[in-house]
Structure formats: structure tokens, C-alpha cells
Amino acid sequence: MPQKIYLGRLGDAEREHWEQLLRGGRTTTRHVTRARILLEAAEGWTDERIAEALSVGRATIERTRRRFVECNLEALKKRPRPGQ
């Protein structure tokens, strides 16, 4: 298995931000899933364990990690998607 390139570290403020997002009221499922991925990865969970626990693919986990490392707190923001 190749070594992971995107290993982000959560600071106290970032961890509090993601946990607050999970405790908050109106949040999209996509944001909640991304927050959980980042929190579980920070706890040291493997990608396989996260994928099984959250019912997401490994590509989603890798993409979320990469976006967090590259964009930090902007990782959960919606990017424009093609469509109507």
C-alpha cells in the first residue's frame, strides 16, 4: 500500500470547529460526512475503518484529506459543480 501524502493535523480550534458543526442544527449531510472523516482521521483511524463506519468510498476519504491539507477550513465549502 502506498504511503499517504495528505495527512492533515487538526489543531484545537479546527477540532472544535468540526465538532461544533456536528453538534449544530442545520447542516448538510455532505458537510457532516466530511467533518466526521476529518475527525476520525485525526484520531488515527485507517481509511478502511472510516469507509466502513461512514459508508463512504476510499476515494471520498482521500479527496477530503487532500482538500483539507490544501484548503484547510475551506475543505467543507461547496465548490461549483457542473449542472443546470
Side-chain angles (χ1 to χ4, degrees):
M1 177 179 281
Q3 186 176 5
K4 293 195 185 323
I5 297 172
Y6 298 103
L7 293 174
R9 302 284 185 243
L10 290 178
D12 292 337
E14 292 167 330
R15 182 181 303 277
E16 180 59 33
H17 172 78
W18 300 133
E19 289 175 351
Q20 183 65 33
L21 185 106
L22 293 176
R23 286 190 301 262
R26 298 176 53 118
T27 305
T28 65
T29 303
R30 188 170 295 169
H31 285 106
V32 169
T33 301
R34 290 176 184 161
R36 285 185 174 162
I37 288 170
L38 293 173
L39 287 170
E40 302 306 350
E43 292 293 320
W45 286 27
T46 64
D47 286 356
E48 292 81 14
R49 185 174 173 196
I50 295 170
E52 184 178 315
L54 302 179
S55 300
V56 297
R58 284 189 50 187
T60 301
I61 297 166
E62 292 169 4
R63 196 171 36 249
T64 302
R65 284 180 190 251
R66 178 177 45 97
R67 285 183 64 197
F68 175 71
V69 170
E70 292 174 353
C71 306
N72 209 359
L73 288 178
E74 298 295 315
L76 290 183
K77 302 263 181 178
K78 287 185 181 179
R79 293 186 327 193
R81 294 171 37 183
Q84 293 180 337

